[in-house]
Each structure stands twice: as structure tokens, then as C-alpha cells.
Amino acid sequence: MSDGTPADQFFDAAIGLLQRARDEESEAITAAGTLLADTVAAGGRLFAFGAGHSSLAAQDIVYRAGGLALMNLLAVPGVVGVDVIPATLGSALERVDGLAAAVLDTSPLRAGDVLVIISLSGRNALPVEMALNARALGVKVIGVTSVAYASETKSRHVSGTYLKDHCDIVLDSKIAIGDAELTLDTIPAPFAPASTVVTTALLQAVMATTAATLADRGIEPPLLRSGNVDGGHEWNGRIMDEYRDRIFYRR
């Protein structure tokens, strides 16, 4: 470990990862932002999915001040967050074959939409099947994952493949296997995960690209404003009314 307090070391590690993501994923970020802009302009709908702690990054781009009003959360009961008791059930459900197909069959997703799938390891059955089945429906898939897992772990899907193998665009978070940035001789396990920081930053960079791309085309991006600023609720009401057929979290 480098010098400084553990807090300093974590900030240094996170900043280093963010710099790598900015420099090495710029083309993928532009491609993803352009795809979302194309979809918005064409009347398509936007969805995001993540299981476990990967769901945090998905939730961060849904119904978000400064974010796109059209981004909807594709929720899978039992795997979004740690409010399920026992929390380990969520991890077990990620490995269940067929769950993704059941979710997609009852979801509003259709051809021409885009689904953002977030999975740090990309090795479990749920995100792999979600990507496979979504593309079979004619849905474009943006995957956010750590590509390193595919070279150093075994897939838990029957195909032996990973999320990254079934995406139209892949954003690599650069997170090392195990998602822990720090070690100490006095602590038996590595600690201080940074995946949420990096994954959220990648997706917000994509959202920024989408908004700017739409504006460059003369299309007002359907952005939400904070409800804690004057006029925010009125603004959001107008946006939601205008795009009500493409917003599913309000129903």
C-alpha cells in the first residue's frame, strides 16, 4: 500500500480507477451515449438492471435529478438491494437459470429499446441470461462489468459465457477481482470496494453524453430537475406528462 491514511489510500485508488475509466473507455462511453440518444430520438424506451450492489448504479440513473426521465429500473424481486431477508437470498437468485427469461416475459421491454445491465463479475446466470434474452427480443444491450473476471473466474452460466459476450457495447469498470482496493498486514482480508464509485461515474458520463448528443441534434433532452429547487416539481410534471408512455416508474 502507498503512504497516507487508509482514507487517503482509498481516494487515491478510486481516483486512479476513475482516470483509467475516463481515458480507456472514452470510445465506449461515446458509443453508449449515442445509442441512448438514438433510442430516445426514435421513440424507444430505456431500462437499467443490476443485481445486488450492482443495482445501486442502476438506481442512480433512474428518477434522478439531472438525469434522463426515460430511464426505467428493470427490477427483479429479491435481487435489488439488501432489503431482502436473508440478504444471501439475493446472491443465490443471481445463479438461478430461467429467472431472467421470466422477468423479461412480464416486462414492458420490446424491440427498439435499450437495456443497461450492470454486473461486476458478469459471471452469474441472471445477467448473462438477461443479456441473451433481451437481444433475442431485439433490445440493444449496454453492459457495465469488470472484464478481468472473464479471464480469471469460471462462468456460472450453462453456456460458459459472461455478460461481456452478449452486449452491443461494453463498459469495463477496471475493478480487480474481489472488489477491494486496500490491504493491511493486520487485517486478514482485503477491504474498501470501489466498484460503485467507478460504475456510477461511467454511467453518469454516458448520461451526460446522451443529453449533449440530443441537444446537438436540436432535441431537448428529457431531463429531470431536483424537487428541492423552486419550480422543480412543475418542471418534472411537464416532462413526465410529455413522455408518460415511456416512463414506467410512475405507474
Side-chain angles (χ1 to χ4, degrees), residues 8-248:
D8 290 338
Q9 292 162 0
F10 177 76
F11 277 116
D12 288 343
I15 290 168
L17 286 164
L18 288 170
Q19 288 175 330
R20 284 190 63 198
R22 181 192 62 190
D23 296 341
E24 298 174 20
E25 297 302 301
S26 60
E27 289 187 11
I29 289 168
T30 298
T34 302
L35 174 58
L36 293 185
D38 291 343
T39 304
V40 171
R45 295 90 59 80
L46 312 178
F47 296 84
F49 164 76
H53 285 93
S54 290
S55 72
L56 296 174
Q59 292 176 57
D60 191 60
I61 56 174
V62 175
Y63 188 48
R64 187 72 164 85
L68 291 173
L70 304 191
M71 186 62 70
N72 300 278
L73 186 68
L74 182 64
V76 179
V79 305
V80 179
V82 293
D83 56 339
V84 176
I85 303 299
T88 50
L89 175 61
S91 298
L93 289 173
E94 288 185 62
R95 305 177 189 181
V96 174
D97 293 330
L99 180 56
V103 169
L104 288 174
D105 285 346
T106 56
S107 80
L109 271 161
R110 66 188 184 195
D113 293 345
V114 172
L115 174 60
V116 178
I117 301 177
I118 306 153
S119 173
L120 178 60
S121 73
R123 67 187 295 221
N124 288 314
L126 183 55
V128 174
E129 279 190 4
M130 191 74 76
L132 268 167
N133 291 5
R135 292 181 87 188
L137 292 172
V139 173
K140 297 291 187 181
V141 174
I142 298 171
V144 188
T145 187
S146 171
V147 173
Y149 275 82
S151 62
E152 300 182 45
T153 66
K154 183 179 179 180
S155 171
R156 290 178 174 141
H157 186 254
V158 63
S159 68
T161 60
Y162 298 78
L163 170 61
K164 73 174 186 65
D165 299 317
H166 306 287
C167 298
D168 296 280
I169 299 168
V170 175
L171 298 171
D172 183 2
S173 64
K174 318 295 180 181
I175 300 296
I177 292 176
D179 192 17
E181 295 300 319
L182 305 185
T183 59
L184 278 176
D185 292 341
T186 53
I187 299 177
F191 58 102
S195 61
T196 304
V197 173
V198 180
T199 301
T200 299
L202 278 169
L203 286 172
Q204 290 298 350
V206 170
M207 297 301 112
T209 302
T210 302
T213 301
L214 287 168
D216 286 344
R217 299 177 185 178
I219 302 171
E220 179 187 342
L223 297 170
L224 295 173
R225 301 190 69 179
S226 171
N228 296 313
V229 300
D230 292 342
H233 287 301
E234 292 75 15
W235 172 283
N236 292 342
R238 175 181 68 84
I239 294 293
M240 289 184 182
D241 285 341
E242 183 176 349
Y243 292 95
R244 58 184 175 275
D245 60 328
R246 298 154 75 180
I247 295 174
F248 297 92

